[in-house]
Amino acid sequence: MSLIIWLAIFVHLIQAFIYVDDSFSFARVSNMSYYVKYRKMLPSEMVSLLLLWDELGIPHEERKQIFGSPLPVISFDLRSFAKYNHKRTLHEFEHIAGTLNWALNVCPLLQPGLLAVYAKVKGKTNVKGLIWLNWSVVEELQWAAFHLKCSNGIYLFKSVSCFLRRIQIRYGILVSQP
């Protein structure tokens, strides 16, 4: 899928936000297009991406192609999870840890926000078993949520451009950039 995403961005010049087979976007009403397969209006860049996937025979689901406001990219509500002195299941802890772990890809400095969560679930195996939320878990999750909300993350396209430029200089290979 990485090659397909690269193809979409650097060959077809599609400016969509893509994570594996999920895409998310926003657009002005004037920049919307009708996507026949889903029978609805979507951002034009998203429609271009979906048409490319259709052309290549890559399956995709409507529910995983989202746009609008608010944009639910990270699918959990930390406020409802992190309440001091409440119990949550191991499964819920694993879900929140997995989601925040995914966020570390774009905000690696959030790693301390998971220390108390990992310590709390260490050695536990019963996914339906209840675990108390202590103050350190709540405080660290709120810290991570605050910094994630305020962060601009890593600007991936700029990072990719620098990487391609270094390849050109080091190996003398001509790599086209958008």
Side-chain angles (χ1 to χ4, degrees):
M1 193 61 170
S2 298
L3 179 61
I4 303 303
I5 293 171
W6 183 90
L7 180 73
I9 294 170
F10 293 104
V11 176
H12 290 270
L13 305 178
I14 297 170
Q15 297 296 315
F17 301 96
I18 311 164
Y19 178 73
V20 189
D21 64 340
D22 300 347
S23 65
F24 49 96
S25 188
F26 54 91
R28 295 179 188 265
V29 174
S30 62
N31 196 18
M32 302 282 279
S33 299
Y34 188 74
Y35 182 60
V36 176
K37 188 174 179 180
Y38 295 163
R39 296 184 191 144
K40 68 180 186 181
M41 298 295 285
L42 295 170
S44 296
E45 294 288 338
M46 185 181 283
V47 170
S48 297
L49 177 67
L50 294 172
L51 290 172
L52 175 64
W53 286 352
D54 291 342
E55 181 183 332
L56 297 173
I58 297 171
H60 51 85
E61 301 173 50
E62 181 178 358
R63 69 178 178 84
K64 297 180 99 181
Q65 318 314 319
I66 57 175
F67 75 100
S69 177
L71 193 58
V73 177
I74 298 177
S75 63
F76 68 89
D77 183 0
L78 188 59
R79 290 168 297 197
S80 67
F81 179 88
K83 292 181 180 173
Y84 175 67
N85 233 7
H86 280 75
K87 290 181 183 180
R88 297 290 175 193
T89 66
L90 175 59
H91 178 75
E92 289 174 306
F93 267 89
E94 288 172 340
H95 176 73
I96 197 94
T99 304
L100 275 175
N101 197 34
W102 176 83
L104 293 177
N105 291 315
V106 292
C107 299
L109 297 177
L110 294 180
Q111 198 168 14
L114 284 172
L115 295 175
V117 172
Y118 286 143
K120 201 72 167 152
V121 300
K122 184 180 178 182
K124 308 242 183 342
T125 57
N126 180 2
V127 293
K128 293 181 181 180
L130 294 175
I131 303 170
W132 283 100
L133 274 102
N134 60 19
W135 184 246
S136 62
V137 170
V138 172
E139 191 173 71
E140 286 183 10
L141 288 174
Q142 288 175 344
W143 174 87
F146 172 78
H147 288 288
L148 185 60
K149 184 177 179 181
C150 296
S151 172
N152 63 358
I154 297 171
Y155 189 60
L156 295 176
F157 294 114
K158 187 174 182 179
S159 301
V160 169
S161 295
C162 288
F163 174 71
L164 292 176
R165 203 171 304 116
R166 282 192 304 235
I167 289 175
Q168 286 177 320
I169 292 167
R170 183 168 183 166
Y171 298 105
I173 299 170
L174 181 61
V175 180
S176 63
Q177 297 181 33

PDB file of all heavy atoms in Angstrom, residues 27 29 59 62 73 87 91-92 97 103-104 116 120 123 128-129 135-136 138 143 148 152 157 161:
ATOM      1  N   ALA A  27     -12.690  20.185   2.491  1.00  0.00           N
ATOM      2  CA  ALA A  27     -12.706  20.983   1.266  1.00  0.00           C
ATOM      3  C   ALA A  27     -13.841  21.982   1.329  1.00  0.00           C
ATOM      4  O   ALA A  27     -14.834  21.784   2.033  1.00  0.00           O
ATOM      5  CB  ALA A  27     -12.886  20.081   0.041  1.00  0.00           C
ATOM      6  N   VAL A  29     -17.063  23.806  -0.319  1.00  0.00           N
ATOM      7  CA  VAL A  29     -18.172  23.251  -1.094  1.00  0.00           C
ATOM      8  C   VAL A  29     -17.874  23.348  -2.592  1.00  0.00           C
ATOM      9  O   VAL A  29     -18.216  22.454  -3.362  1.00  0.00           O
ATOM     10  CB  VAL A  29     -19.498  23.976  -0.740  1.00  0.00           C
ATOM     11  CG1 VAL A  29     -20.627  23.513  -1.630  1.00  0.00           C
ATOM     12  CG2 VAL A  29     -19.840  23.752   0.720  1.00  0.00           C
ATOM     13  N   PRO A  59      -9.607  -2.543  -3.000  1.00  0.00           N
ATOM     14  CA  PRO A  59     -10.891  -2.392  -2.293  1.00  0.00           C
ATOM     15  C   PRO A  59     -10.821  -1.294  -1.232  1.00  0.00           C
ATOM     16  O   PRO A  59      -9.767  -1.054  -0.643  1.00  0.00           O
ATOM     17  CB  PRO A  59     -11.101  -3.768  -1.648  1.00  0.00           C
ATOM     18  CG  PRO A  59      -9.735  -4.354  -1.535  1.00  0.00           C
ATOM     19  CD  PRO A  59      -8.914  -3.777  -2.660  1.00  0.00           C
ATOM     20  N   GLU A  62     -16.610   2.804   2.306  1.00  0.00           N
ATOM     21  CA  GLU A  62     -17.111   4.171   2.459  1.00  0.00           C
ATOM     22  C   GLU A  62     -16.879   4.700   3.866  1.00  0.00           C
ATOM     23  O   GLU A  62     -16.472   5.844   4.054  1.00  0.00           O
ATOM     24  CB  GLU A  62     -18.593   4.225   2.106  1.00  0.00           C
ATOM     25  CG  GLU A  62     -19.185   5.598   2.211  1.00  0.00           C
ATOM     26  CD  GLU A  62     -20.648   5.647   1.821  1.00  0.00           C
ATOM     27  OE1 GLU A  62     -21.221   4.622   1.419  1.00  0.00           O
ATOM     28  OE2 GLU A  62     -21.224   6.739   1.946  1.00  0.00           O
ATOM     29  N   VAL A  73     -10.331  11.784  13.201  1.00  0.00           N
ATOM     30  CA  VAL A  73      -9.219  10.972  12.715  1.00  0.00           C
ATOM     31  C   VAL A  73      -8.780   9.966  13.760  1.00  0.00           C
ATOM     32  O   VAL A  73      -8.569   8.809  13.478  1.00  0.00           O
ATOM     33  CB  VAL A  73      -8.039  11.877  12.285  1.00  0.00           C
ATOM     34  CG1 VAL A  73      -6.858  11.044  11.851  1.00  0.00           C
ATOM     35  CG2 VAL A  73      -8.495  12.800  11.175  1.00  0.00           C
ATOM     36  N   LYS A  87     -13.258   2.639  36.765  1.00  0.00           N
ATOM     37  CA  LYS A  87     -12.680   1.398  36.259  1.00  0.00           C
ATOM     38  C   LYS A  87     -12.903   1.323  34.755  1.00  0.00           C
ATOM     39  O   LYS A  87     -13.937   1.742  34.253  1.00  0.00           O
ATOM     40  CB  LYS A  87     -13.336   0.181  36.913  1.00  0.00           C
ATOM     41  CG  LYS A  87     -13.009  -0.001  38.370  1.00  0.00           C
ATOM     42  CD  LYS A  87     -13.696  -1.245  38.890  1.00  0.00           C
ATOM     43  CE  LYS A  87     -13.469  -1.450  40.368  1.00  0.00           C
ATOM     44  NZ  LYS A  87     -14.146  -2.652  40.858  1.00  0.00           N
ATOM     45  N   HIS A  91      -9.288  -4.227  27.720  1.00  0.00           N
ATOM     46  CA  HIS A  91      -9.507  -3.962  26.293  1.00  0.00           C
ATOM     47  C   HIS A  91      -9.548  -2.458  26.012  1.00  0.00           C
ATOM     48  O   HIS A  91      -8.960  -1.979  25.043  1.00  0.00           O
ATOM     49  CB  HIS A  91     -10.806  -4.630  25.819  1.00  0.00           C
ATOM     50  CG  HIS A  91     -11.117  -4.368  24.384  1.00  0.00           C
ATOM     51  ND1 HIS A  91     -10.444  -4.986  23.364  1.00  0.00           N
ATOM     52  CD2 HIS A  91     -12.016  -3.537  23.822  1.00  0.00           C
ATOM     53  CE1 HIS A  91     -10.920  -4.541  22.218  1.00  0.00           C
ATOM     54  NE2 HIS A  91     -11.876  -3.658  22.460  1.00  0.00           N
ATOM     55  N   GLU A  92     -10.234  -1.688  26.866  1.00  0.00           N
ATOM     56  CA  GLU A  92     -10.295  -0.236  26.692  1.00  0.00           C
ATOM     57  C   GLU A  92      -8.911   0.395  26.873  1.00  0.00           C
ATOM     58  O   GLU A  92      -8.545   1.304  26.131  1.00  0.00           O
ATOM     59  CB  GLU A  92     -11.292   0.377  27.678  1.00  0.00           C
ATOM     60  CG  GLU A  92     -12.733   0.054  27.351  1.00  0.00           C
ATOM     61  CD  GLU A  92     -13.688   0.545  28.424  1.00  0.00           C
ATOM     62  OE1 GLU A  92     -13.498   0.209  29.618  1.00  0.00           O
ATOM     63  OE2 GLU A  92     -14.626   1.275  28.058  1.00  0.00           O
ATOM     64  N   ALA A  97      -4.177   2.879  24.405  1.00  0.00           N
ATOM     65  CA  ALA A  97      -2.724   2.799  24.231  1.00  0.00           C
ATOM     66  C   ALA A  97      -2.376   2.617  22.757  1.00  0.00           C
ATOM     67  O   ALA A  97      -1.442   3.252  22.250  1.00  0.00           O
ATOM     68  CB  ALA A  97      -2.153   1.650  25.056  1.00  0.00           C
ATOM     69  N   ALA A 103      -0.488   7.669  17.241  1.00  0.00           N
ATOM     70  CA  ALA A 103      -0.234   9.113  17.193  1.00  0.00           C
ATOM     71  C   ALA A 103       1.248   9.418  17.344  1.00  0.00           C
ATOM     72  O   ALA A 103       1.723  10.468  16.888  1.00  0.00           O
ATOM     73  CB  ALA A 103      -1.034   9.825  18.269  1.00  0.00           C
ATOM     74  N   LEU A 104       2.021   8.516  17.956  1.00  0.00           N
ATOM     75  CA  LEU A 104       3.462   8.730  18.107  1.00  0.00           C
ATOM     76  C   LEU A 104       4.168   8.808  16.766  1.00  0.00           C
ATOM     77  O   LEU A 104       5.263   9.359  16.666  1.00  0.00           O
ATOM     78  CB  LEU A 104       4.090   7.621  18.959  1.00  0.00           C
ATOM     79  CG  LEU A 104       3.681   7.567  20.425  1.00  0.00           C
ATOM     80  CD1 LEU A 104       4.332   6.376  21.111  1.00  0.00           C
ATOM     81  CD2 LEU A 104       4.013   8.852  21.139  1.00  0.00           C
ATOM     82  N   ALA A 116       2.335   5.553  32.229  1.00  0.00           N
ATOM     83  CA  ALA A 116       1.446   5.074  33.299  1.00  0.00           C
ATOM     84  C   ALA A 116       0.448   4.049  32.775  1.00  0.00           C
ATOM     85  O   ALA A 116       0.101   3.100  33.483  1.00  0.00           O
ATOM     86  CB  ALA A 116       0.718   6.249  33.949  1.00  0.00           C
ATOM     87  N   LYS A 120       0.191   0.253  34.092  1.00  0.00           N
ATOM     88  CA  LYS A 120      -1.084  -0.205  34.655  1.00  0.00           C
ATOM     89  C   LYS A 120      -1.525  -1.547  34.052  1.00  0.00           C
ATOM     90  O   LYS A 120      -2.144  -2.363  34.732  1.00  0.00           O
ATOM     91  CB  LYS A 120      -2.146   0.873  34.389  1.00  0.00           C
ATOM     92  CG  LYS A 120      -3.323   0.802  35.288  1.00  0.00           C
ATOM     93  CD  LYS A 120      -2.977   1.252  36.690  1.00  0.00           C
ATOM     94  CE  LYS A 120      -4.227   1.458  37.480  1.00  0.00           C
ATOM     95  NZ  LYS A 120      -4.056   1.263  38.888  1.00  0.00           N
ATOM     96  N   GLY A 123       1.337  -7.223  32.607  1.00  0.00           N
ATOM     97  CA  GLY A 123       1.050  -8.517  33.213  1.00  0.00           C
ATOM     98  C   GLY A 123      -0.421  -8.910  33.229  1.00  0.00           C
ATOM     99  O   GLY A 123      -0.766 -10.009  33.624  1.00  0.00           O
ATOM    100  N   LYS A 128     -11.530  -8.482  29.661  1.00  0.00           N
ATOM    101  CA  LYS A 128     -12.752  -7.950  30.262  1.00  0.00           C
ATOM    102  C   LYS A 128     -12.557  -7.543  31.713  1.00  0.00           C
ATOM    103  O   LYS A 128     -13.454  -6.990  32.341  1.00  0.00           O
ATOM    104  CB  LYS A 128     -13.884  -8.979  30.161  1.00  0.00           C
ATOM    105  CG  LYS A 128     -14.316  -9.224  28.730  1.00  0.00           C
ATOM    106  CD  LYS A 128     -15.444 -10.213  28.648  1.00  0.00           C
ATOM    107  CE  LYS A 128     -15.842 -10.444  27.202  1.00  0.00           C
ATOM    108  NZ  LYS A 128     -16.926 -11.386  27.076  1.00  0.00           N
ATOM    109  N   GLY A 129     -11.356  -7.828  32.237  1.00  0.00           N
ATOM    110  CA  GLY A 129     -11.051  -7.475  33.623  1.00  0.00           C
ATOM    111  C   GLY A 129     -11.001  -5.974  33.812  1.00  0.00           C
ATOM    112  O   GLY A 129     -10.516  -5.242  32.956  1.00  0.00           O
ATOM    113  N   TRP A 135      -4.544   8.514  39.461  1.00  0.00           N
ATOM    114  CA  TRP A 135      -4.288   9.900  39.084  1.00  0.00           C
ATOM    115  C   TRP A 135      -3.188  10.011  38.034  1.00  0.00           C
ATOM    116  O   TRP A 135      -3.261  10.832  37.129  1.00  0.00           O
ATOM    117  CB  TRP A 135      -3.951  10.732  40.323  1.00  0.00           C
ATOM    118  CG  TRP A 135      -3.770  12.169  39.974  1.00  0.00           C
ATOM    119  CD1 TRP A 135      -2.625  12.894  40.049  1.00  0.00           C
ATOM    120  CD2 TRP A 135      -4.758  13.059  39.454  1.00  0.00           C
ATOM    121  NE1 TRP A 135      -2.831  14.171  39.617  1.00  0.00           N
ATOM    122  CE2 TRP A 135      -4.145  14.305  39.237  1.00  0.00           C
ATOM    123  CE3 TRP A 135      -6.102  12.928  39.132  1.00  0.00           C
ATOM    124  CZ2 TRP A 135      -4.825  15.405  38.737  1.00  0.00           C
ATOM    125  CZ3 TRP A 135      -6.783  14.033  38.636  1.00  0.00           C
ATOM    126  CH2 TRP A 135      -6.133  15.249  38.443  1.00  0.00           C
ATOM    127  N   SER A 136      -2.139   9.196  38.120  1.00  0.00           N
ATOM    128  CA  SER A 136      -1.029   9.312  37.163  1.00  0.00           C
ATOM    129  C   SER A 136      -1.469   8.953  35.740  1.00  0.00           C
ATOM    130  O   SER A 136      -1.058   9.594  34.779  1.00  0.00           O
ATOM    131  CB  SER A 136       0.174   8.467  37.592  1.00  0.00           C
ATOM    132  OG  SER A 136      -0.159   7.105  37.643  1.00  0.00           O
ATOM    133  N   VAL A 138      -4.591   9.258  34.498  1.00  0.00           N
ATOM    134  CA  VAL A 138      -5.454  10.358  34.049  1.00  0.00           C
ATOM    135  C   VAL A 138      -4.608  11.575  33.683  1.00  0.00           C
ATOM    136  O   VAL A 138      -4.782  12.174  32.621  1.00  0.00           O
ATOM    137  CB  VAL A 138      -6.501  10.718  35.131  1.00  0.00           C
ATOM    138  CG1 VAL A 138      -7.258  11.983  34.756  1.00  0.00           C
ATOM    139  CG2 VAL A 138      -7.458   9.554  35.341  1.00  0.00           C
ATOM    140  N   TRP A 143      -2.313  15.111  29.618  1.00  0.00           N
ATOM    141  CA  TRP A 143      -1.126  15.790  29.103  1.00  0.00           C
ATOM    142  C   TRP A 143      -0.930  15.463  27.627  1.00  0.00           C
ATOM    143  O   TRP A 143      -0.706  16.353  26.804  1.00  0.00           O
ATOM    144  CB  TRP A 143       0.095  15.370  29.930  1.00  0.00           C
ATOM    145  CG  TRP A 143       1.393  15.903  29.397  1.00  0.00           C
ATOM    146  CD1 TRP A 143       1.963  17.107  29.686  1.00  0.00           C
ATOM    147  CD2 TRP A 143       2.275  15.244  28.483  1.00  0.00           C
ATOM    148  NE1 TRP A 143       3.146  17.237  28.995  1.00  0.00           N
ATOM    149  CE2 TRP A 143       3.358  16.106  28.246  1.00  0.00           C
ATOM    150  CE3 TRP A 143       2.255  14.015  27.831  1.00  0.00           C
ATOM    151  CZ2 TRP A 143       4.415  15.787  27.396  1.00  0.00           C
ATOM    152  CZ3 TRP A 143       3.294  13.686  26.980  1.00  0.00           C
ATOM    153  CH2 TRP A 143       4.362  14.563  26.769  1.00  0.00           C
ATOM    154  N   LEU A 148      -1.201  16.783  21.908  1.00  0.00           N
ATOM    155  CA  LEU A 148      -1.615  16.313  20.585  1.00  0.00           C
ATOM    156  C   LEU A 148      -2.518  17.345  19.922  1.00  0.00           C
ATOM    157  O   LEU A 148      -2.384  17.642  18.740  1.00  0.00           O
ATOM    158  CB  LEU A 148      -2.343  14.972  20.703  1.00  0.00           C
ATOM    159  CG  LEU A 148      -2.743  14.286  19.407  1.00  0.00           C
ATOM    160  CD1 LEU A 148      -1.514  13.986  18.562  1.00  0.00           C
ATOM    161  CD2 LEU A 148      -3.489  13.002  19.704  1.00  0.00           C
ATOM    162  N   ASN A 152       1.558  20.474  15.807  1.00  0.00           N
ATOM    163  CA  ASN A 152       1.399  20.413  14.353  1.00  0.00           C
ATOM    164  C   ASN A 152       2.032  19.134  13.825  1.00  0.00           C
ATOM    165  O   ASN A 152       2.077  18.926  12.623  1.00  0.00           O
ATOM    166  CB  ASN A 152       2.007  21.649  13.690  1.00  0.00           C
ATOM    167  CG  ASN A 152       3.494  21.758  13.921  1.00  0.00           C
ATOM    168  OD1 ASN A 152       4.095  20.946  14.608  1.00  0.00           O
ATOM    169  ND2 ASN A 152       4.093  22.789  13.351  1.00  0.00           N
ATOM    170  N   PHE A 157       5.232  16.049   4.126  1.00  0.00           N
ATOM    171  CA  PHE A 157       5.608  16.385   2.761  1.00  0.00           C
ATOM    172  C   PHE A 157       6.943  17.120   2.727  1.00  0.00           C
ATOM    173  O   PHE A 157       7.755  16.897   1.855  1.00  0.00           O
ATOM    174  CB  PHE A 157       4.520  17.199   2.077  1.00  0.00           C
ATOM    175  CG  PHE A 157       3.262  16.414   1.873  1.00  0.00           C
ATOM    176  CD1 PHE A 157       2.104  16.756   2.525  1.00  0.00           C
ATOM    177  CD2 PHE A 157       3.261  15.297   1.063  1.00  0.00           C
ATOM    178  CE1 PHE A 157       0.958  16.017   2.355  1.00  0.00           C
ATOM    179  CE2 PHE A 157       2.122  14.546   0.890  1.00  0.00           C
ATOM    180  CZ  PHE A 157       0.966  14.901   1.536  1.00  0.00           C
ATOM    181  N   SER A 161      10.281  15.768   0.911  1.00  0.00           N
ATOM    182  CA  SER A 161      11.004  16.606  -0.043  1.00  0.00           C
ATOM    183  C   SER A 161      12.487  16.656   0.290  1.00  0.00           C
ATOM    184  O   SER A 161      13.328  16.548  -0.597  1.00  0.00           O
ATOM    185  CB  SER A 161      10.431  18.021  -0.064  1.00  0.00           C
ATOM    186  OG  SER A 161       9.116  18.013  -0.532  1.00  0.00           O
TER     187      SER A 161
END
